[in-house]
Amino acid sequence: MLRTHTCGELRISDVNKEVSLSGWVQRVRNKGGLIWVDLRDRYGVTQLIFEEDSTEKELLEKAASLGREFVIRATGLVIERTSKNDKIPTGDIEIKVKQLEILNAAKVPPFIIEDETDGGEELRMKYRYLDLRRNVVREKLQLRHRMMQETRKYMDGENFIEVETPVLIKSTPEGARDFVVPSRVNPGEFYALPQSPQTFKQLLMVSGFDRYFQIVKCFRDEDLRADRQPEFTQIDCEMAFVTQEDILNTFEGLVKHLFNNVKGVALEEVKRMTYADAMKFYGNDKPDLRFDMKFAELNELTQGNGFGIFDQAEIILGICAKGAGEYTRKQLDELTNWVKRPQIGAKGLVYVKCNADGTFKSTVDKFYSNEDLKVWADLMGAEPGDLLLVLSGDEKSTRKQMSELRLKMGEELGLRNRNIFKPLWVVDFPLLEWDEETQRFHAMHHPFTSPKKEDIPLLETNPGEVRANAYDLVINGVEIGGGSIRIHDRTTQQLMFKHLGFTDEEAQKQFGFLMEAFEYGAPPHGGIAFGFDRLCAIFGGSDSIRDYIAFPKNNSGRDVMIDSPSTIADEQLKELSIQVNIQEKS
Ligand code: ASP
């Protein structure tokens, strides 16, 4: 080994030991006859010292020639420092170097490799291997590593078998576009990269594996956001002979295990809420429960008073922002402008300030008396000092806008603390979702999700009302995982495809293998998949999943370090029997 110790290891008790350290030069301080070098590796930083009177001239010169990020090996004696640094664990000692070997020189890095860096995102991504040298970045990947190890530990302990499924497959409908790979030996034919191993894990249940999991890469060709990458990782799971309740309990166990063992947090019991309630009270299927601020429906209290905007609205929704009654005119104008931005799309905002003396001040004083406003306030549980915010319009958009406003107020009032974790199971999702664009129903989860037995008759009469045995795990307003109990018989699966607009031939061509498998003794089964990158981001307290991926892609799906995607050689295209003819997108 080129070292006897790491750069994070030596303490005062090691004084007088002869040691060798290897690592990167973090910083050189040259005071003429005295040179200090901070030597860094993934374990920490240790200070090296070279002194004119006791160090050979040649060695001193070599030390003076060191630049940032040179890779060196230093051998010498551990000594006690005269001025100690209590900010780092090795701060009591330094190494009086006797031998210095430059293992590799380095160009001046394009940005400073320290926790606080001067490098912008684009530059750091181009030199991601340098970015990864920074403690703050490496620690995030170490967290990811711990999460993986603890996941495997828990799953193994619960008798799950980790099985790898193929990456070159046929399209699975998870609602996104597929990435495709041309087949050389089958000209004109393509593999699809899995959006998830959904059909394979179901087939493993038919095979009797009973409990499957896999930490697996999935690929979805979607528009990118901070919390989306074209390739991402799932903890993918499936179980046979279980009810929804068994699945919720098993995976509540996994999440608790991770919080406990990785973060040292005892997670509270995971609450349950139906999709219908989540939409009614929070306007959102992934409510952030770190704060309350539930929606109140005000139609009955507000309509018929001559205020046209409310009278014409399908719904009038209010929230109570606790303690925001002191908001200034300027703050309220800002809020009004905020809800009117095109991204939110509200036409306006009505507010009611609950004054300390029990009176009210609102933008609709003309139409509502103090007594009227008191009834609103009472319904919303408001007290003096609170602020009521009211939006109105058509139901769907108003719920959505109010959901955004609620989150914004939560943020402004400091109610979205990253160190508080509020997990929630959202259950009873609708089976189908109407898509305006294509004018047909889509599977809200995926086509293999089982409808609730009692709702099956509704498939013919009112498909939008059919509820599924589908569930999502939400933490602090972020969807961490989702799954369902599956259909496990051919007839129901065929019925489902029919409702999704598949002809029998199409269903057979795409999923004949699965439906056939259902005819060979398929056990009842269900499962779930967790977005592993997001889970890591929640644990690490950040919004971007990119920080938790060693080599992420940018917002255009590009890896700027290896410069991909890229064109390929004509020779390769020829082998694939492919001609490129780029067409303008319509
Ligand atoms: N395959 C699903 C997904 O990726 C998860 C599941 O139903 O287990 O969302």
Side-chain angles (χ1 to χ4, degrees):
M1 290 253 248
L2 299 186
R3 60 185 174 197
T4 55
H5 296 78
T6 70
C7 298
E9 205 176 333
L10 295 166
R11 300 286 183 274
I12 194 81
S13 54
D14 296 304
V15 165
N16 282 334
K17 275 189 194 155
E18 170 104 7
V19 299
S20 281
L21 300 185
S22 292
W24 287 262
V25 172
Q26 171 102 0
R27 210 176 291 156
V28 181
R29 272 163 298 151
N30 191 338
K31 303 267 177 209
L34 194 58
I35 298 174
W36 284 287
V37 173
D38 283 347
L39 189 64
R40 181 194 72 233
D41 64 13
R42 67 174 254 217
Y43 306 94
V45 172
T46 299
Q47 179 165 291
L48 312 179
I49 181 166
F50 303 82
E51 277 175 295
E52 193 168 38
D53 42 0
S54 55
T55 306
E56 284 168 36
K57 196 159 170 271
E58 214 179 302
L59 184 56
L60 203 65
E61 274 166 15
K62 208 186 221 177
S65 77
L66 295 175
R68 274 181 180 274
E69 302 306 315
F70 274 44
V71 186
I72 62 169
R73 177 183 188 211
T75 303
L77 204 64
V78 183
I79 59 170
E80 182 170 0
R81 281 206 213 181
T82 36
S83 89
K84 300 198 164 69
N85 177 356
D86 59 12
K87 297 211 174 59
I88 54 171
T90 61
D92 286 348
I93 55 99
E94 58 195 346
I95 312 297
K96 192 166 168 44
V97 179
K98 291 185 186 152
Q99 253 181 344
L100 175 65
E101 205 180 322
I102 298 178
L103 300 172
N104 215 338
K107 291 209 279 188
V108 177
F111 52 86
I112 296 171
I113 301 181
E114 291 186 23
D115 292 0
E116 293 292 328
T117 177
D118 54 350
E121 169 95 4
E122 182 83 9
L123 192 64
R124 286 188 292 110
M125 288 306 137
K126 183 162 160 57
Y127 296 95
R128 181 66 165 168
Y129 51 89
L130 297 180
D131 196 31
L132 288 170
R133 279 187 199 162
R134 297 167 56 224
N135 289 325
V136 283
V137 183
R138 192 197 53 249
E139 277 161 11
K140 293 193 164 100
L141 289 173
Q142 278 173 318
L143 171 71
R144 185 184 175 102
H145 163 79
R146 273 264 62 77
M147 300 277 283
M148 277 197 169
Q149 305 318 309
E150 290 299 335
T151 298
R152 293 205 158 98
K153 214 194 264 173
Y154 177 85
M155 298 303 278
D156 185 46
E158 294 289 316
N159 247 329
F160 283 79
I161 306 175
E162 187 164 9
V163 184
E164 287 169 285
T165 52
V167 172
L168 296 174
I169 65 161
K170 183 156 121 173
S171 173
T172 47
E174 299 274 358
R177 253 173 250 112
D178 287 322
F179 281 102
V180 294
V181 180
S183 162
R184 179 181 57 82
V185 288
N186 304 283
E189 295 189 326
F190 295 80
Y191 300 100
L193 302 183
Q195 292 186 34
S196 87
Q198 186 61 37
T199 47
F200 290 98
K201 65 175 173 174
Q202 292 193 241
L203 292 171
L204 286 169
M205 293 304 108
V206 180
S207 308
F209 274 66
D210 188 64
R211 289 181 165 216
Y212 142 94
F213 90 104
Q214 182 180 193
I215 299 181
V216 63
K217 272 287 173 78
C218 301
F219 306 85
R220 297 183 190 178
D221 188 0
E222 292 177 292
D223 295 334
L224 304 175
R225 296 193 304 236
D227 64 348
R228 248 195 218 157
Q229 283 273 302
E231 53 177 301
F232 61 97
T233 304
Q234 284 189 343
I235 310 172
D236 190 44
C237 316
E238 198 75 5
M239 303 167 84
F241 303 117
V242 286
T243 61
Q244 172 166 313
E245 197 56 31
D246 300 314
I247 295 187
L248 300 191
N249 290 332
T250 305
F251 293 100
E252 193 165 321
L254 168 65
V255 175
K256 282 186 172 160
H257 174 90
L258 292 175
F259 268 99
N260 212 351
N261 292 283
V262 179
K263 255 196 112 57
V265 167
L267 198 67
E268 63 184 56
E269 198 193 327
V270 183
K271 291 211 174 67
R272 311 260 174 109
M273 189 184 293
T274 62
Y275 170 87
D277 279 352
M279 297 308 287
K280 185 174 164 65
F281 295 118
Y282 302 95
N284 194 318
D285 63 2
K286 37 180 187 296
D288 185 344
L289 293 191
R290 282 172 296 183
F291 61 106
D292 193 25
M293 228 187 269
K294 277 200 203 70
F295 296 4
E297 291 178 19
L298 303 174
N299 290 36
E300 277 185 25
L301 300 185
T302 58
Q303 288 183 323
N305 281 44
F307 182 41
I309 295 183
F310 282 178
D311 286 347
Q312 280 144 36
E314 191 180 354
I315 198 157
I316 298 125
L317 291 175
I319 52 172
C320 168
K322 288 253 154 253
E326 298 291 309
Y327 263 39
T328 60
R329 183 62 206 256
K330 184 161 168 263
Q331 282 174 300
L332 290 163
D333 285 347
E334 273 167 13
L335 264 190
T336 308
N337 290 334
W338 188 85
V339 297
K340 283 164 121 178
R341 293 181 324 155
Q343 297 94 311
I344 309 295
K347 297 228 168 54
L349 177 66
V350 166
Y351 61 81
V352 181
K353 282 179 162 193
C354 308
N355 298 328
D357 63 2
T359 62
F360 299 91
K361 172 88 201 88
S362 86
T363 37
V364 286
D365 284 345
K366 254 215 289 203
F367 304 97
Y368 303 96
S369 66
N370 251 283
E371 289 69 51
D372 291 333
L373 298 176
K374 174 143 182 20
V375 182
W376 300 14
D378 287 347
L379 181 80
M380 289 192 243
E383 294 161 321
D386 293 350
L387 174 72
L388 311 182
L389 297 168
V390 182
L391 292 175
S392 62
D394 75 89
E395 177 157 0
K396 200 165 166 209
S397 340
T398 308
R399 286 199 187 280
K400 214 158 161 236
Q401 292 155 5
M402 193 52 121
S403 164
E404 298 287 344
L405 180 59
R406 175 181 176 271
L407 292 173
K408 161 109 175 141
M409 291 312 294
E411 197 69 58
E412 286 199 3
L413 299 175
L415 303 172
R416 302 180 73 189
N417 182 338
R418 284 181 191 281
N419 295 316
I420 292 177
F421 298 96
K422 293 285 177 187
L424 172 73
W425 286 113
V426 178
V427 297
D428 296 354
F429 273 81
L431 182 72
L432 303 166
E433 185 177 35
W434 181 252
D435 184 51
E436 284 296 336
E437 211 172 291
T438 51
Q439 287 289 304
R440 55 188 188 89
F441 280 109
H442 282 257
M444 187 132 175
H445 190 51
H446 52 53
F448 316 111
T449 294
S450 146
K452 282 195 184 289
K453 258 211 181 76
E454 62 271 29
D455 288 0
I456 289 182
L458 285 175
L459 266 176
E460 294 301 336
T461 53
N462 197 352
E465 290 294 306
V466 177
R467 290 165 309 156
N469 285 318
Y471 33 81
D472 275 358
L473 181 69
V474 174
I475 301 179
N476 295 357
V478 179
E479 181 199 326
I480 292 297
S484 60
I485 296 294
R486 326 297 184 189
I487 296 167
H488 65 279
D489 66 284
R490 181 171 195 123
T491 316
T492 315
Q493 190 62 71
Q494 252 166 340
L495 184 69
M496 183 69 185
F497 283 133
K498 190 181 116 212
H499 282 283
L500 294 173
F502 283 70
T503 63
D504 279 349
E505 293 71 46
E506 283 166 348
Q508 183 59 31
K509 178 159 185 254
Q510 233 184 319
F511 298 110
F513 65 95
L514 185 70
M515 290 191 287
E516 189 175 9
F518 287 170
E519 294 178 299
Y520 284 101
H525 60 284
I528 190 166
F530 293 91
F532 185 64
D533 314 282
R534 275 192 205 167
L535 195 57
C536 292
I538 286 256
F539 270 62
S542 61
D543 293 325
S544 168
I545 63 169
R546 235 174 259 167
D547 298 351
Y548 296 84
I549 296 173
F551 299 104
K553 296 188 174 45
N554 73 7
N555 272 343
S556 327
R558 181 162 283 285
D559 182 327
V560 291
M561 182 182 67
I562 59 171
D563 192 20
S564 157
S566 57
T567 52
I568 58 172
D570 286 345
E571 203 44 45
Q572 279 174 296
L573 285 171
K574 216 156 141 201
E575 277 178 350
L576 294 166
S577 319
I578 283 181
Q579 253 184 355
V580 177
N581 178 8
I582 310 280
Q583 294 180 351
E584 287 287 321
K585 278 206 189 113
S586 54

